[in-house]
Amino acid sequence: MPYEPTETAVIVVDMQNGFCHPDGSLYAEPSEAAVEPVTALVDRARAAGASVVYTRDVHPPEQFDGAHYYDEFDRWGEHVVEGSWDAELVGDLEVRDGDHVVEKHTYDAFYQTNLEGYLNAHGIDDLLICGTLANVCVLHTAGSAGLRDYRPVVVEDALGYITEEHREYAVDHADWLFGETATRDSIAFEEN
């Protein structure tokens, strides 16, 4: 079934230098390889009139000071620190006027951000979710979208990941529990 562009957004999760560039702090080659498929999906969605939302994982240097349970810097090492090159969107992505950029401080792009307000204000129900990492920020964002009654669709051939098993887990889990999956070729937009 084709997507209605005015009710659809492509959510590009965390395609940042820290994850997608060989000099990044948490570089994974499949994340770099996802840049082209993500860009192609964004271009198709824009041409159809759908919205484009980019998320950026950004951590203030003191974010985890005093954390009693979960400290991402302990888990992953220091990464995508606020104001750093690491935290910038990878250069091959073109953020245009009309696109929306969401800064987040954890895996879920809805948690303490303006994403839900933006989607509601624009009448968006269907979310085509791509980006990196498949089993971390992509999966948590998709799950959170489903819990908020959006239709999350994980675009399985536009994902970055560390291992293939991580990608497969994310796609299988999303499809089984709270959303849908699709390939880029299977996505069509209604013509207005």
Side-chain angles (χ1 to χ4, degrees):
M1 188 170 97
Y3 294 91
E4 166 54 54
T6 61
E7 298 173 3
T8 304
V10 175
I11 309 292
V12 179
V13 178
D14 298 356
M15 295 296 288
Q16 296 164 258
N17 291 327
F19 308 121
C20 302
H21 191 283
D23 295 329
S25 60
L26 288 177
Y27 170 71
E29 189 174 334
S31 294
E32 181 182 19
V35 172
E36 187 279 324
V38 165
T39 302
L41 177 61
V42 165
D43 289 346
R44 282 186 50 224
R46 272 197 190 116
S51 296
V52 177
V53 176
Y54 293 96
T55 74
R56 291 177 59 229
D57 193 33
V58 178
H59 299 296
E62 70 285 350
Q63 179 177 347
F64 303 107
D65 290 355
H68 80 317
Y69 174 68
Y70 190 75
D71 180 337
E72 279 191 39
F73 289 172
D74 278 349
R75 171 91 173 129
W76 300 98
E78 194 170 279
H79 61 285
V80 293
V81 173
E82 188 175 54
S84 69
W85 169 87
D86 217 42
E88 294 174 11
L89 291 171
V90 71
D92 292 343
L93 298 178
E94 181 186 353
V95 180
R96 295 186 185 173
D97 290 342
D99 294 345
H100 187 64
V101 179
V102 173
E103 286 194 1
K104 63 187 188 62
H105 302 296
T106 188
Y107 304 146
D108 175 0
F110 287 91
Y111 181 73
Q112 296 184 348
T113 72
N114 65 5
L115 178 56
E116 188 168 13
Y118 172 84
L119 297 174
N120 290 342
H122 289 83
I124 296 169
D125 295 316
D126 297 332
L127 309 180
L128 302 173
I129 304 173
C130 58
T132 201
L133 290 168
N135 65 320
V136 184
C137 294
V138 170
L139 187 61
H140 280 80
T141 296
S144 192
L147 293 174
R148 287 170 167 79
D149 203 32
Y150 297 100
R151 177 186 178 197
V153 180
V154 174
V155 185
E156 60 188 82
D157 56 353
L159 298 174
Y161 48 89
I162 296 173
T163 69
E164 180 62 31
E165 291 79 17
H166 293 158
R167 188 196 73 77
E168 290 173 7
Y169 168 80
V171 169
D172 290 346
H173 192 71
D175 190 44
W176 175 72
L177 185 58
F178 54 76
E180 301 174 32
T181 62
T183 62
R184 288 178 297 135
D185 288 345
S186 70
I187 294 169
F189 295 97
E190 290 180 7
E191 294 184 22
N192 291 327

